[in-house]
PDB file of all heavy atoms in Angstrom:
ATOM      1  N   LYS A   1      61.913 106.157  97.821  1.00 51.00           N
ATOM      2  CA  LYS A   1      62.365 104.764  97.939  1.00 51.00           C
ATOM      3  C   LYS A   1      63.870 104.659  97.762  1.00 51.00           C
ATOM      4  O   LYS A   1      64.536 103.887  98.437  1.00 51.00           O
ATOM      5  CB  LYS A   1      61.666 103.891  96.911  1.00 51.00           C
ATOM      6  CG  LYS A   1      60.393 103.289  97.390  1.00 51.00           C
ATOM      7  CD  LYS A   1      59.915 102.254  96.414  1.00 51.00           C
ATOM      8  CE  LYS A   1      58.794 101.456  97.029  1.00 51.00           C
ATOM      9  NZ  LYS A   1      58.285 100.447  96.133  1.00 51.00           N
ATOM     10  N   ASP A   2      64.427 105.450  96.811  1.00 52.00           N
ATOM     11  CA  ASP A   2      65.872 105.410  96.592  1.00 52.00           C
ATOM     12  C   ASP A   2      66.626 105.909  97.817  1.00 52.00           C
ATOM     13  O   ASP A   2      67.675 105.378  98.169  1.00 52.00           O
ATOM     14  CB  ASP A   2      66.261 106.236  95.365  1.00 52.00           C
ATOM     15  CG  ASP A   2      65.895 105.541  94.060  1.00 52.00           C
ATOM     16  OD1 ASP A   2      65.741 104.301  94.084  1.00 52.00           O
ATOM     17  OD2 ASP A   2      65.760 106.228  93.037  1.00 52.00           O
ATOM     18  N   ASP A   3      66.093 106.952  98.484  1.00 50.00           N
ATOM     19  CA  ASP A   3      66.715 107.456  99.699  1.00 50.00           C
ATOM     20  C   ASP A   3      66.698 106.387 100.782  1.00 50.00           C
ATOM     21  O   ASP A   3      67.685 106.189 101.490  1.00 50.00           O
ATOM     22  CB  ASP A   3      65.998 108.701 100.210  1.00 50.00           C
ATOM     23  CG  ASP A   3      66.191 109.905  99.308  1.00 50.00           C
ATOM     24  OD1 ASP A   3      67.181 109.919  98.545  1.00 50.00           O
ATOM     25  OD2 ASP A   3      65.349 110.825  99.365  1.00 50.00           O
ATOM     26  N   GLN A   4      65.568 105.680 100.922  1.00 51.00           N
ATOM     27  CA  GLN A   4      65.463 104.621 101.919  1.00 51.00           C
ATOM     28  C   GLN A   4      66.448 103.506 101.609  1.00 51.00           C
ATOM     29  O   GLN A   4      67.071 102.949 102.506  1.00 51.00           O
ATOM     30  CB  GLN A   4      64.049 104.075 101.963  1.00 51.00           C
ATOM     31  CG  GLN A   4      63.042 105.049 102.522  1.00 51.00           C
ATOM     32  CD  GLN A   4      61.616 104.571 102.337  1.00 51.00           C
ATOM     33  OE1 GLN A   4      61.358 103.657 101.562  1.00 51.00           O
ATOM     34  NE2 GLN A   4      60.696 105.186 103.052  1.00 51.00           N
ATOM     35  N   SER A   5      66.608 103.191 100.341  1.00 54.00           N
ATOM     36  CA  SER A   5      67.549 102.147  99.940  1.00 54.00           C
ATOM     37  C   SER A   5      68.974 102.551 100.283  1.00 54.00           C
ATOM     38  O   SER A   5      69.769 101.744 100.744  1.00 54.00           O
ATOM     39  CB  SER A   5      67.410 101.874  98.441  1.00 54.00           C
ATOM     40  OG  SER A   5      68.325 100.915  98.037  1.00 54.00           O
ATOM     41  N   GLN A   6      69.320 103.819 100.046  1.00 57.00           N
ATOM     42  CA  GLN A   6      70.660 104.306 100.347  1.00 57.00           C
ATOM     43  C   GLN A   6      70.931 104.226 101.840  1.00 57.00           C
ATOM     44  O   GLN A   6      72.024 103.872 102.253  1.00 57.00           O
ATOM     45  CB  GLN A   6      70.832 105.751  99.843  1.00 57.00           C
ATOM     46  CG  GLN A   6      72.243 106.263  99.941  1.00 57.00           C
ATOM     47  CD  GLN A   6      73.217 105.542  99.038  1.00 57.00           C
ATOM     48  OE1 GLN A   6      72.864 104.986  98.011  1.00 57.00           O
ATOM     49  NE2 GLN A   6      74.467 105.521  99.433  1.00 57.00           N
ATOM     50  N   VAL A   7      69.929 104.537 102.663  1.00 55.00           N
ATOM     51  CA  VAL A   7      70.090 104.430 104.110  1.00 55.00           C
ATOM     52  C   VAL A   7      70.415 102.989 104.477  1.00 55.00           C
ATOM     53  O   VAL A   7      71.278 102.729 105.305  1.00 55.00           O
ATOM     54  CB  VAL A   7      68.818 104.922 104.841  1.00 55.00           C
ATOM     55  CG1 VAL A   7      68.864 104.568 106.313  1.00 55.00           C
ATOM     56  CG2 VAL A   7      68.663 106.425 104.657  1.00 55.00           C
ATOM     57  N   GLY A   8      69.771 102.021 103.831  1.00 59.00           N
ATOM     58  CA  GLY A   8      70.057 100.617 104.082  1.00 59.00           C
ATOM     59  C   GLY A   8      71.495 100.265 103.755  1.00 59.00           C
ATOM     60  O   GLY A   8      72.147  99.521 104.478  1.00 59.00           O
ATOM     61  N   PHE A   9      72.003 100.811 102.662  1.00 62.00           N
ATOM     62  CA  PHE A   9      73.401 100.578 102.297  1.00 62.00           C
ATOM     63  C   PHE A   9      74.331 101.164 103.351  1.00 62.00           C
ATOM     64  O   PHE A   9      75.300 100.542 103.752  1.00 62.00           O
ATOM     65  CB  PHE A   9      73.736 101.208 100.947  1.00 62.00           C
ATOM     66  CG  PHE A   9      73.334 100.376  99.771  1.00 62.00           C
ATOM     67  CD1 PHE A   9      72.460 100.877  98.828  1.00 62.00           C
ATOM     68  CD2 PHE A   9      73.846  99.107  99.587  1.00 62.00           C
ATOM     69  CE1 PHE A   9      72.093 100.125  97.735  1.00 62.00           C
ATOM     70  CE2 PHE A   9      73.488  98.345  98.498  1.00 62.00           C
ATOM     71  CZ  PHE A   9      72.600  98.854  97.572  1.00 62.00           C
ATOM     72  N   GLU A  10      74.041 102.383 103.807  1.00 63.00           N
ATOM     73  CA  GLU A  10      74.909 103.044 104.783  1.00 63.00           C
ATOM     74  C   GLU A  10      75.004 102.268 106.080  1.00 63.00           C
ATOM     75  O   GLU A  10      76.055 102.235 106.714  1.00 63.00           O
ATOM     76  CB  GLU A  10      74.416 104.464 105.045  1.00 63.00           C
ATOM     77  CG  GLU A  10      74.627 105.379 103.855  1.00 63.00           C
ATOM     78  CD  GLU A  10      73.971 106.731 104.014  1.00 63.00           C
ATOM     79  OE1 GLU A  10      73.396 107.007 105.090  1.00 63.00           O
ATOM     80  OE2 GLU A  10      74.029 107.506 103.048  1.00 63.00           O
ATOM     81  N   GLN A  11      73.930 101.622 106.470  1.00 60.00           N
ATOM     82  CA  GLN A  11      73.934 100.886 107.718  1.00 60.00           C
ATOM     83  C   GLN A  11      74.752  99.615 107.630  1.00 60.00           C
ATOM     84  O   GLN A  11      75.177  99.085 108.653  1.00 60.00           O
ATOM     85  CB  GLN A  11      72.503 100.563 108.132  1.00 60.00           C
ATOM     86  CG  GLN A  11      71.711 101.801 108.501  1.00 60.00           C
ATOM     87  CD  GLN A  11      70.246 101.513 108.702  1.00 60.00           C
ATOM     88  OE1 GLN A  11      69.774 100.421 108.411  1.00 60.00           O
ATOM     89  NE2 GLN A  11      69.514 102.486 109.189  1.00 60.00           N
ATOM     90  N   THR A  12      75.006  99.104 106.430  1.00 62.00           N
ATOM     91  CA  THR A  12      75.713  97.839 106.308  1.00 62.00           C
ATOM     92  C   THR A  12      77.224  97.993 106.251  1.00 62.00           C
ATOM     93  O   THR A  12      77.953  97.027 106.360  1.00 62.00           O
ATOM     94  CB  THR A  12      75.270  97.074 105.055  1.00 62.00           C
ATOM     95  OG1 THR A  12      75.570  97.861 103.913  1.00 62.00           O
ATOM     96  CG2 THR A  12      73.792  96.754 105.106  1.00 62.00           C
ATOM     97  N   VAL A  13      77.683  99.198 106.049  1.00 62.00           N
ATOM     98  CA  VAL A  13      79.128  99.423 105.955  1.00 62.00           C
ATOM     99  C   VAL A  13      79.557 100.161 107.218  1.00 62.00           C
ATOM    100  O   VAL A  13      79.121 101.253 107.496  1.00 62.00           O
ATOM    101  CB  VAL A  13      79.466 100.255 104.696  1.00 62.00           C
ATOM    102  CG1 VAL A  13      80.951 100.489 104.604  1.00 62.00           C
ATOM    103  CG2 VAL A  13      78.960  99.564 103.456  1.00 62.00           C
ATOM    104  N   ASP A  14      80.405  99.543 108.005  1.00 61.00           N
ATOM    105  CA  ASP A  14      80.791 100.182 109.252  1.00 61.00           C
ATOM    106  C   ASP A  14      81.787 101.321 109.014  1.00 61.00           C
ATOM    107  O   ASP A  14      82.343 101.483 107.929  1.00 61.00           O
ATOM    108  CB  ASP A  14      81.301  99.170 110.279  1.00 61.00           C
ATOM    109  CG  ASP A  14      82.424  98.298 109.762  1.00 61.00           C
ATOM    110  OD1 ASP A  14      82.833  98.473 108.616  1.00 61.00           O
ATOM    111  OD2 ASP A  14      82.881  97.430 110.514  1.00 61.00           O
ATOM    112  N   LEU A  15      82.014 102.106 110.028  1.00 58.00           N
ATOM    113  CA  LEU A  15      82.799 103.330 109.925  1.00 58.00           C
ATOM    114  C   LEU A  15      84.207 103.074 109.400  1.00 58.00           C
ATOM    115  O   LEU A  15      84.712 103.827 108.573  1.00 58.00           O
ATOM    116  CB  LEU A  15      82.861 104.024 111.292  1.00 58.00           C
ATOM    117  CG  LEU A  15      83.614 105.334 111.352  1.00 58.00           C
ATOM    118  CD1 LEU A  15      82.976 106.352 110.402  1.00 58.00           C
ATOM    119  CD2 LEU A  15      83.591 105.880 112.770  1.00 58.00           C
ATOM    120  N   GLU A  16      84.844 102.014 109.850  1.00 65.00           N
ATOM    121  CA  GLU A  16      86.203 101.724 109.416  1.00 65.00           C
ATOM    122  C   GLU A  16      86.282 101.539 107.899  1.00 65.00           C
ATOM    123  O   GLU A  16      87.195 102.027 107.255  1.00 65.00           O
ATOM    124  CB  GLU A  16      86.711 100.477 110.124  1.00 65.00           C
ATOM    125  CG  GLU A  16      88.139 100.129 109.787  1.00 65.00           C
ATOM    126  CD  GLU A  16      88.611  98.952 110.607  1.00 65.00           C
ATOM    127  OE1 GLU A  16      89.031  99.185 111.749  1.00 65.00           O
ATOM    128  OE2 GLU A  16      88.545  97.828 110.102  1.00 65.00           O
ATOM    129  N   GLU A  17      85.304 100.847 107.330  1.00 61.00           N
ATOM    130  CA  GLU A  17      85.310 100.632 105.891  1.00 61.00           C
ATOM    131  C   GLU A  17      85.002 101.912 105.125  1.00 61.00           C
ATOM    132  O   GLU A  17      85.473 102.097 104.016  1.00 61.00           O
ATOM    133  CB  GLU A  17      84.319  99.533 105.521  1.00 61.00           C
ATOM    134  CG  GLU A  17      84.792  98.177 105.993  1.00 61.00           C
ATOM    135  CD  GLU A  17      83.790  97.085 105.717  1.00 61.00           C
ATOM    136  OE1 GLU A  17      82.692  97.382 105.240  1.00 61.00           O
ATOM    137  OE2 GLU A  17      84.121  95.934 105.996  1.00 61.00           O
ATOM    138  N   LYS A  18      84.219 102.808 105.693  1.00 61.00           N
ATOM    139  CA  LYS A  18      83.929 104.071 105.030  1.00 61.00           C
ATOM    140  C   LYS A  18      85.193 104.900 104.851  1.00 61.00           C
ATOM    141  O   LYS A  18      85.277 105.718 103.950  1.00 61.00           O
ATOM    142  CB  LYS A  18      82.894 104.879 105.817  1.00 61.00           C
ATOM    143  CG  LYS A  18      81.489 104.398 105.650  1.00 61.00           C
ATOM    144  CD  LYS A  18      80.538 105.324 106.363  1.00 61.00           C
ATOM    145  CE  LYS A  18      79.122 104.878 106.178  1.00 61.00           C
ATOM    146  NZ  LYS A  18      78.165 105.772 106.838  1.00 61.00           N
ATOM    147  N   MET A  19      86.158 104.681 105.722  1.00 62.00           N
ATOM    148  CA  MET A  19      87.393 105.454 105.647  1.00 62.00           C
ATOM    149  C   MET A  19      88.256 105.009 104.468  1.00 62.00           C
ATOM    150  O   MET A  19      89.153 105.728 104.052  1.00 62.00           O
ATOM    151  CB  MET A  19      88.167 105.332 106.961  1.00 62.00           C
ATOM    152  CG  MET A  19      87.434 106.016 108.089  1.00 62.00           C
ATOM    153  SD  MET A  19      88.119 105.875 109.770  1.00 62.00           S
ATOM    154  CE  MET A  19      89.680 105.141 109.606  1.00 62.00           C
ATOM    155  N   LEU A  20      88.018 103.838 103.943  1.00 77.00           N
ATOM    156  CA  LEU A  20      88.763 103.366 102.789  1.00 77.00           C
ATOM    157  C   LEU A  20      88.247 104.046 101.528  1.00 77.00           C
ATOM    158  O   LEU A  20      87.125 104.515 101.477  1.00 77.00           O
ATOM    159  CB  LEU A  20      88.629 101.850 102.658  1.00 77.00           C
ATOM    160  CG  LEU A  20      89.155 101.045 103.849  1.00 77.00           C
ATOM    161  CD1 LEU A  20      88.792  99.589 103.688  1.00 77.00           C
ATOM    162  CD2 LEU A  20      90.649 101.215 103.998  1.00 77.00           C
ATOM    163  N   THR A  21      89.043 104.041 100.493  1.00 87.00           N
ATOM    164  CA  THR A  21      88.623 104.701  99.258  1.00 87.00           C
ATOM    165  C   THR A  21      87.793 103.774  98.384  1.00 87.00           C
ATOM    166  O   THR A  21      87.887 102.560  98.474  1.00 87.00           O
ATOM    167  CB  THR A  21      89.852 105.150  98.446  1.00 87.00           C
ATOM    168  OG1 THR A  21      90.579 103.995  98.040  1.00 87.00           O
ATOM    169  CG2 THR A  21      90.741 106.071  99.259  1.00 87.00           C
ATOM    170  N   VAL A  22      86.998 104.373  97.526  1.00 91.00           N
ATOM    171  CA  VAL A  22      86.189 103.582  96.599  1.00 91.00           C
ATOM    172  C   VAL A  22      87.088 102.821  95.636  1.00 91.00           C
ATOM    173  O   VAL A  22      86.748 101.725  95.205  1.00 91.00           O
ATOM    174  CB  VAL A  22      85.149 104.470  95.864  1.00 91.00           C
ATOM    175  CG1 VAL A  22      85.813 105.386  94.863  1.00 91.00           C
ATOM    176  CG2 VAL A  22      84.085 103.615  95.203  1.00 91.00           C
ATOM    177  N   GLU A  23      88.254 103.355  95.329  1.00 90.00           N
ATOM    178  CA  GLU A  23      89.187 102.647  94.445  1.00 90.00           C
ATOM    179  C   GLU A  23      89.631 101.319  95.056  1.00 90.00           C
ATOM    180  O   GLU A  23      89.808 100.326  94.353  1.00 90.00           O
ATOM    181  CB  GLU A  23      90.410 103.518  94.126  1.00 90.00           C
ATOM    182  CG  GLU A  23      90.117 104.679  93.203  1.00 90.00           C
ATOM    183  CD  GLU A  23      89.486 105.876  93.915  1.00 90.00           C
ATOM    184  OE1 GLU A  23      89.525 105.926  95.167  1.00 90.00           O
ATOM    185  OE2 GLU A  23      88.928 106.735  93.222  1.00 90.00           O
ATOM    186  N   TYR A  24      89.820 101.297  96.367  1.00 89.00           N
ATOM    187  CA  TYR A  24      90.174 100.069  97.081  1.00 89.00           C
ATOM    188  C   TYR A  24      89.107  99.001  96.855  1.00 89.00           C
ATOM    189  O   TYR A  24      89.406  97.846  96.536  1.00 89.00           O
ATOM    190  CB  TYR A  24      90.331 100.391  98.565  1.00 89.00           C
ATOM    191  CG  TYR A  24      90.458  99.185  99.460  1.00 89.00           C
ATOM    192  CD1 TYR A  24      91.687  98.568  99.644  1.00 89.00           C
ATOM    193  CD2 TYR A  24      89.351  98.659 100.122  1.00 89.00           C
ATOM    194  CE1 TYR A  24      91.821  97.468 100.472  1.00 89.00           C
ATOM    195  CE2 TYR A  24      89.471  97.556 100.953  1.00 89.00           C
ATOM    196  CZ  TYR A  24      90.702  96.964 101.119  1.00 89.00           C
ATOM    197  OH  TYR A  24      90.816  95.872 101.926  1.00 89.00           O
ATOM    198  N   TRP A  25      87.845  99.396  97.019  1.00 92.00           N
ATOM    199  CA  TRP A  25      86.746  98.449  96.868  1.00 92.00           C
ATOM    200  C   TRP A  25      86.557  98.048  95.412  1.00 92.00           C
ATOM    201  O   TRP A  25      86.200  96.910  95.118  1.00 92.00           O
ATOM    202  CB  TRP A  25      85.459  99.025  97.450  1.00 92.00           C
ATOM    203  CG  TRP A  25      85.539  99.053  98.941  1.00 92.00           C
ATOM    204  CD1 TRP A  25      85.779 100.135  99.732  1.00 92.00           C
ATOM    205  CD2 TRP A  25      85.445  97.929  99.824  1.00 92.00           C
ATOM    206  NE1 TRP A  25      85.819  99.750 101.049  1.00 92.00           N
ATOM    207  CE2 TRP A  25      85.614  98.403 101.137  1.00 92.00           C
ATOM    208  CE3 TRP A  25      85.223  96.570  99.626  1.00 92.00           C
ATOM    209  CZ2 TRP A  25      85.563  97.568 102.248  1.00 92.00           C
ATOM    210  CZ3 TRP A  25      85.167  95.736 100.733  1.00 92.00           C
ATOM    211  CH2 TRP A  25      85.346  96.235 102.020  1.00 92.00           C
ATOM    212  N   ARG A  26      86.790  98.966  94.491  1.00 94.00           N
ATOM    213  CA  ARG A  26      86.678  98.633  93.067  1.00 94.00           C
ATOM    214  C   ARG A  26      87.720  97.593  92.691  1.00 94.00           C
ATOM    215  O   ARG A  26      87.428  96.661  91.926  1.00 94.00           O
ATOM    216  CB  ARG A  26      86.839  99.888  92.219  1.00 94.00           C
ATOM    217  CG  ARG A  26      85.643 100.792  92.303  1.00 94.00           C
ATOM    218  CD  ARG A  26      85.853 102.100  91.586  1.00 94.00           C
ATOM    219  NE  ARG A  26      84.637 102.909  91.677  1.00 94.00           N
ATOM    220  CZ  ARG A  26      84.607 104.203  91.475  1.00 94.00           C
ATOM    221  NH1 ARG A  26      85.706 104.862  91.156  1.00 94.00           N
ATOM    222  NH2 ARG A  26      83.469 104.866  91.585  1.00 94.00           N
ATOM    223  N   ASP A  27      88.918  97.728  93.229  1.00 92.00           N
ATOM    224  CA  ASP A  27      89.976  96.747  92.962  1.00 92.00           C
ATOM    225  C   ASP A  27      89.591  95.383  93.523  1.00 92.00           C
ATOM    226  O   ASP A  27      89.721  94.360  92.849  1.00 92.00           O
ATOM    227  CB  ASP A  27      91.294  97.237  93.570  1.00 92.00           C
ATOM    228  CG  ASP A  27      92.435  96.295  93.294  1.00 92.00           C
ATOM    229  OD1 ASP A  27      92.696  96.002  92.102  1.00 92.00           O
ATOM    230  OD2 ASP A  27      93.085  95.848  94.264  1.00 92.00           O
ATOM    231  N   ARG A  28      89.097  95.357  94.749  1.00 93.00           N
ATOM    232  CA  ARG A  28      88.676  94.089  95.355  1.00 93.00           C
ATOM    233  C   ARG A  28      87.513  93.466  94.591  1.00 93.00           C
ATOM    234  O   ARG A  28      87.474  92.246  94.405  1.00 93.00           O
ATOM    235  CB  ARG A  28      88.270  94.299  96.818  1.00 93.00           C
ATOM    236  CG  ARG A  28      89.474  94.397  97.728  1.00 93.00           C
ATOM    237  CD  ARG A  28      89.122  94.618  99.162  1.00 93.00           C
ATOM    238  NE  ARG A  28      88.310  93.543  99.744  1.00 93.00           N
ATOM    239  CZ  ARG A  28      88.028  93.461 101.031  1.00 93.00           C
ATOM    240  NH1 ARG A  28      88.476  94.369 101.876  1.00 93.00           N
ATOM    241  NH2 ARG A  28      87.277  92.477 101.492  1.00 93.00           N
ATOM    242  N   PHE A  29      86.572  94.283  94.133  1.00 96.00           N
ATOM    243  CA  PHE A  29      85.450  93.767  93.354  1.00 96.00           C
ATOM    244  C   PHE A  29      85.954  93.140  92.062  1.00 96.00           C
ATOM    245  O   PHE A  29      85.515  92.053  91.685  1.00 96.00           O
ATOM    246  CB  PHE A  29      84.437  94.881  93.042  1.00 96.00           C
ATOM    247  CG  PHE A  29      83.256  94.377  92.264  1.00 96.00           C
ATOM    248  CD1 PHE A  29      82.188  93.790  92.900  1.00 96.00           C
ATOM    249  CD2 PHE A  29      83.231  94.465  90.880  1.00 96.00           C
ATOM    250  CE1 PHE A  29      81.101  93.300  92.180  1.00 96.00           C
ATOM    251  CE2 PHE A  29      82.158  93.992  90.149  1.00 96.00           C
ATOM    252  CZ  PHE A  29      81.090  93.405  90.801  1.00 96.00           C
ATOM    253  N   GLY A  30      86.867  93.810  91.381  1.00 96.00           N
ATOM    254  CA  GLY A  30      87.417  93.279  90.130  1.00 96.00           C
ATOM    255  C   GLY A  30      88.079  91.929  90.329  1.00 96.00           C
ATOM    256  O   GLY A  30      87.904  91.010  89.519  1.00 96.00           O
ATOM    257  N   LYS A  31      88.825  91.795  91.410  1.00 96.00           N
ATOM    258  CA  LYS A  31      89.484  90.517  91.710  1.00 96.00           C
ATOM    259  C   LYS A  31      88.462  89.427  92.028  1.00 96.00           C
ATOM    260  O   LYS A  31      88.602  88.290  91.583  1.00 96.00           O
ATOM    261  CB  LYS A  31      90.458  90.686  92.870  1.00 96.00           C
ATOM    262  CG  LYS A  31      91.679  91.508  92.505  1.00 96.00           C
ATOM    263  CD  LYS A  31      92.562  91.751  93.707  1.00 96.00           C
ATOM    264  CE  LYS A  31      93.731  92.638  93.320  1.00 96.00           C
ATOM    265  NZ  LYS A  31      94.535  93.031  94.479  1.00 96.00           N
ATOM    266  N   ALA A  32      87.449  89.775  92.788  1.00 96.00           N
ATOM    267  CA  ALA A  32      86.423  88.788  93.152  1.00 96.00           C
ATOM    268  C   ALA A  32      85.590  88.386  91.939  1.00 96.00           C
ATOM    269  O   ALA A  32      85.239  87.208  91.772  1.00 96.00           O
ATOM    270  CB  ALA A  32      85.519  89.346  94.256  1.00 96.00           C
ATOM    271  N   ALA A  33      85.285  89.344  91.081  1.00 95.00           N
ATOM    272  CA  ALA A  33      84.436  89.072  89.911  1.00 95.00           C
ATOM    273  C   ALA A  33      85.104  88.113  88.933  1.00 95.00           C
ATOM    274  O   ALA A  33      84.419  87.423  88.172  1.00 95.00           O
ATOM    275  CB  ALA A  33      84.076  90.381  89.208  1.00 95.00           C
ATOM    276  N   LYS A  34      86.424  88.030  88.953  1.00 95.00           N
ATOM    277  CA  LYS A  34      87.148  87.126  88.053  1.00 95.00           C
ATOM    278  C   LYS A  34      86.846  85.653  88.340  1.00 95.00           C
ATOM    279  O   LYS A  34      87.111  84.797  87.511  1.00 95.00           O
ATOM    280  CB  LYS A  34      88.654  87.373  88.147  1.00 95.00           C
ATOM    281  CG  LYS A  34      89.071  88.688  87.544  1.00 95.00           C
ATOM    282  CD  LYS A  34      90.557  88.903  87.670  1.00 95.00           C
ATOM    283  CE  LYS A  34      90.932  90.259  87.106  1.00 95.00           C
ATOM    284  NZ  LYS A  34      92.361  90.529  87.249  1.00 95.00           N
ATOM    285  N   HIS A  35      86.278  85.362  89.492  1.00 94.00           N
ATOM    286  CA  HIS A  35      85.937  83.983  89.850  1.00 94.00           C
ATOM    287  C   HIS A  35      84.666  83.490  89.151  1.00 94.00           C
ATOM    288  O   HIS A  35      84.317  82.328  89.280  1.00 94.00           O
ATOM    289  CB  HIS A  35      85.747  83.857  91.367  1.00 94.00           C
ATOM    290  CG  HIS A  35      87.013  83.947  92.137  1.00 94.00           C
ATOM    291  ND1 HIS A  35      87.562  85.153  92.525  1.00 94.00           N
ATOM    292  CD2 HIS A  35      87.846  82.989  92.587  1.00 94.00           C
ATOM    293  CE1 HIS A  35      88.674  84.922  93.184  1.00 94.00           C
ATOM    294  NE2 HIS A  35      88.870  83.618  93.247  1.00 94.00           N
ATOM    295  N   PHE A  36      84.003  84.370  88.431  1.00 93.00           N
ATOM    296  CA  PHE A  36      82.721  84.030  87.821  1.00 93.00           C
ATOM    297  C   PHE A  36      82.789  84.175  86.310  1.00 93.00           C
ATOM    298  O   PHE A  36      83.585  84.939  85.781  1.00 93.00           O
ATOM    299  CB  PHE A  36      81.619  84.928  88.400  1.00 93.00           C
ATOM    300  CG  PHE A  36      81.497  84.772  89.893  1.00 93.00           C
ATOM    301  CD1 PHE A  36      82.202  85.606  90.742  1.00 93.00           C
ATOM    302  CD2 PHE A  36      80.716  83.768  90.430  1.00 93.00           C
ATOM    303  CE1 PHE A  36      82.116  85.448  92.119  1.00 93.00           C
ATOM    304  CE2 PHE A  36      80.623  83.609  91.805  1.00 93.00           C
ATOM    305  CZ  PHE A  36      81.323  84.443  92.649  1.00 93.00           C
TER     306      PHE A  36
END
């Protein structure tokens, strides 16, 4: 089930976004989370 779930995640992120680093997304998440 976890493998199937991971496949679902992979399909939602297009190739261009995969090229970005996880640090980029962590920074954006931190900024967005401050709204809550």
